[in-house]
Amino acid sequence: MEGQITHTDAAIKLKEEIEKVEIAMLTTQGDDGRFRARPMHTTRVDADGILWFFTSDQSDKVREIERNPKVGLGYSGPGKDTYVSVSGEAQLVKDKAKMHDLWNPTLKAWFADGLDTPDIALLKITVEKAEYWDSASGTLLTLYGMVKSTVTGKDARGDSEHEKLDVRS
């Protein structure tokens, strides 16, 4: 299902899809030009298509983003039949008030001193484009659709939702 939706609607749909998965593989470009990906926990998805992550300002990903702020994010939730691909621009944010707003006590596993951790920072990803695939029917019905497709010879792709989202014009 591909159609035209507004930028606001696209950002809201993106938020809904990402909140189903939470963990993304953040891809940056390394010094050698090769792509590097690492798992990141999405702290918040704003309704306007901004993604927030806590990070260390001393990490390789931050140096890579300073050289090339274009990033990719891949969300995969096979148990939820949800997949999201995002491209956008990243920037480092050291705003303590914003960190306080986004803080969650479970983050102490990575930042033992909480918001007083010396290298704590935020990554702000401004989403430009996104694409998602979401099975409308769930795993059992998807499997049923695959079996039905094999027997009837009809394509099973119509049983899932797929949309390209242009979050920024």
Side-chain angles (χ1 to χ4, degrees), residues 7-19 42-54 73 75 86 91 93 95 98-99 101-103 122-128 130 165 167-168:
H7 297 295
T8 302
D9 290 341
I12 291 168
K13 183 62 178 174
L14 177 66
K15 177 178 172 45
E16 291 170 0
E17 294 300 321
I18 288 175
E19 286 177 343
T42 308
T43 302
R44 180 179 296 161
V45 184
D46 289 344
D48 59 352
I50 303 291
L51 307 177
W52 294 95
F53 302 85
F54 275 91
L73 293 148
Y75 291 85
V86 173
Q91 72 180 84
V93 175
D95 179 339
K98 186 66 175 177
M99 287 185 225
D101 178 47
L102 296 173
W103 182 256
L122 291 168
L123 274 184
K124 175 185 179 182
I125 312 285
T126 302
V127 176
E128 295 166 353
L165 304 173
V167 181
R168 301 277 180 268

Side-chain angles (χ1 to χ4, degrees), residues 69-129:
K70 298 292 186 186
V71 298
L73 293 148
Y75 291 85
S76 176
K80 297 175 169 103
D81 296 318
T82 300
Y83 306 89
V84 183
S85 173
V86 173
S87 61
E89 194 159 309
Q91 72 180 84
L92 189 69
V93 175
K94 299 275 297 187
D95 179 339
K96 287 291 187 183
K98 186 66 175 177
M99 287 185 225
H100 187 273
D101 178 47
L102 296 173
W103 182 256
N104 179 317
T106 61
L107 292 165
K108 283 197 94 157
W110 292 274
F111 304 100
D113 294 329
L115 293 172
D116 294 325
T117 303
D119 64 335
I120 194 168
L122 291 168
L123 274 184
K124 175 185 179 182
I125 312 285
T126 302
V127 176
E128 295 166 353
K129 295 195 180 281

